[in-house]
Amino acid sequence: MKFDELDESMRVYETAHDQCVLPGIYMVARIDGRSFTRLTKELAGFEAPFDVRFRDLMIETTRHLMNCGFKVIYGYTESDEISLLFDPDINVFGRKTRKYNSILAGEASAKFSLMLGQLGAFDCRISELPTKRLVVDYFRWRNEDAHRNALNAHCYWMLRKEGVEPNSAAATIAGKSLADKNELLFSRGINFNEMPNWQKRGVGLYWGVEEKAGFNPKDKVPVVSHRRAIVTDLELPMRDEYSAFVANLIEGA
């Protein structure tokens, strides 16, 4: 059998199950850390429940993914996950989901691992969202998940630092209302509302314009140039204001 015939006969097994996202459908990638609880708390020794060093690693990983060949409108990160909203007209790799999943997981894992100095692995999945409303709802969902997770994490680690065993700490907060969890923290002198917003709402990254001061040697005058750059937002809004914020990003794109 000639190589061309062999190549054609074998490639079908790689491509038979290729799924391509239809034109006009929005794509959002969610990239999640694998076994990050052990990595961050036991191996890397990050402070619980939140550590600025880990936050910054996730921000830089998100920034890298927005610059690795995919046209991304918005990047969002909370905890050990990243969500990326692609330009609706993106046609990289023919919109094949296996390509997006494998490349983004690989890029995230490589970037994070190099920065940390230890192996950190991510997986990736693609959500196919047919309307702008569903895109807004997706990011609203992740934003509110960040708030819920932050409240649970502060309660859990407060109890753990008091010497409560892991299972008992988890059982103590299980089934409690948001008000009860806030009260639990407040009884120890912790006001959850005063926690940094990036812990409660996540971090957003989107494209803006950056000013850069320079000097014109010919005319010997200072000049200011403008360039497209990624803005890192640690003060995202919540609830309906956040929904409007995401909707505006989509419209602007």
Side-chain angles (χ1 to χ4, degrees):
M1 182 181 291
K2 294 181 180 180
F3 175 78
D4 290 346
E5 295 174 342
L6 181 63
D7 185 62
E8 183 178 356
S9 67
M10 296 309 298
R11 264 186 204 284
V12 68
Y13 293 99
E14 286 187 337
T15 61
H17 298 290
D18 269 351
Q19 178 183 352
C20 299
V21 180
L22 292 172
I25 302 293
Y26 289 94
M27 287 189 286
V28 175
R30 180 140 67 101
I31 301 102
D32 268 324
R34 180 173 181 268
S35 301
F36 263 40
T37 298
R38 180 172 181 268
L39 172 67
T40 57
K41 303 303 185 294
E42 298 177 21
L43 301 179
F46 289 113
E47 183 180 347
F50 292 95
D51 193 310
V52 171
R53 296 169 297 169
F54 178 75
R55 178 203 69 184
D56 290 346
L57 288 174
M58 293 300 295
I59 289 173
E60 287 306 310
T61 302
T62 307
R63 183 182 295 273
H64 172 73
L65 295 178
M66 294 175 72
N67 278 300
C68 71
F70 298 89
K71 190 174 181 182
V72 177
I73 296 172
Y74 181 48
Y76 174 79
T77 180
E78 58 115 341
S79 185
D80 65 345
E81 71 173 51
I82 296 167
S83 292
L84 303 174
L85 171 62
F86 300 104
D87 186 285
D89 296 326
I90 191 171
N91 197 37
V92 179
F93 300 113
R95 298 168 70 89
K96 294 177 181 176
T97 55
R98 70 178 175 91
K99 284 287 191 178
Y100 286 70
N101 287 330
S102 59
I103 291 172
L104 291 168
E107 291 277 358
S109 300
K111 179 64 176 179
F112 186 90
S113 298
L114 285 171
M115 291 189 296
L116 180 63
Q118 295 189 55
L119 179 62
F122 290 83
D123 64 36
C124 179
R125 74 211 73 165
I126 299 291
S127 290
E128 301 177 33
L129 305 169
T131 66
K132 294 177 184 177
R133 179 72 257 171
L134 285 172
V135 174
V136 171
D137 287 348
Y138 172 91
F139 284 98
R140 173 77 173 260
W141 169 46
R142 304 321 303 151
N143 181 258
E144 295 195 6
D145 181 74
H147 186 273
R148 185 177 298 273
N149 285 343
L151 182 57
N152 287 340
H154 276 289
C155 289
Y156 175 82
W157 285 105
M158 177 198 70
L159 293 171
R160 293 284 287 112
K161 290 172 182 178
E162 291 178 353
V164 180
E165 292 298 316
N167 289 340
S168 296
T172 298
I173 62 175
K176 286 187 179 295
S177 67
L178 296 179
D180 288 340
K181 293 171 186 175
N182 273 281
E183 183 58 35
L184 177 63
L185 292 174
F186 197 74
S187 69
R188 269 71 166 187
I190 301 171
N191 188 337
F192 182 69
N193 291 328
E194 294 178 353
M195 294 295 175
N197 284 334
W198 64 265
Q199 296 183 10
K200 300 178 291 184
R201 305 176 189 181
V203 180
L205 292 92
Y206 45 88
W207 294 96
V209 177
E210 179 182 74
E211 289 189 352
K212 186 175 181 181
F215 185 78
N216 185 329
K218 182 179 179 180
D219 298 329
K220 297 182 179 180
V221 294
V223 294
V224 176
S225 61
H226 297 82
R227 65 177 182 178
R228 192 166 180 258
I230 295 175
V231 176
T232 301
D233 193 338
L234 302 178
E235 300 291 335
L236 291 173
M238 289 184 68
R239 301 186 178 89
D240 290 345
E241 288 185 12
Y242 184 63
S243 294
F245 167 81
V246 174
N248 287 336
L249 284 176
I250 299 171
E251 292 296 330

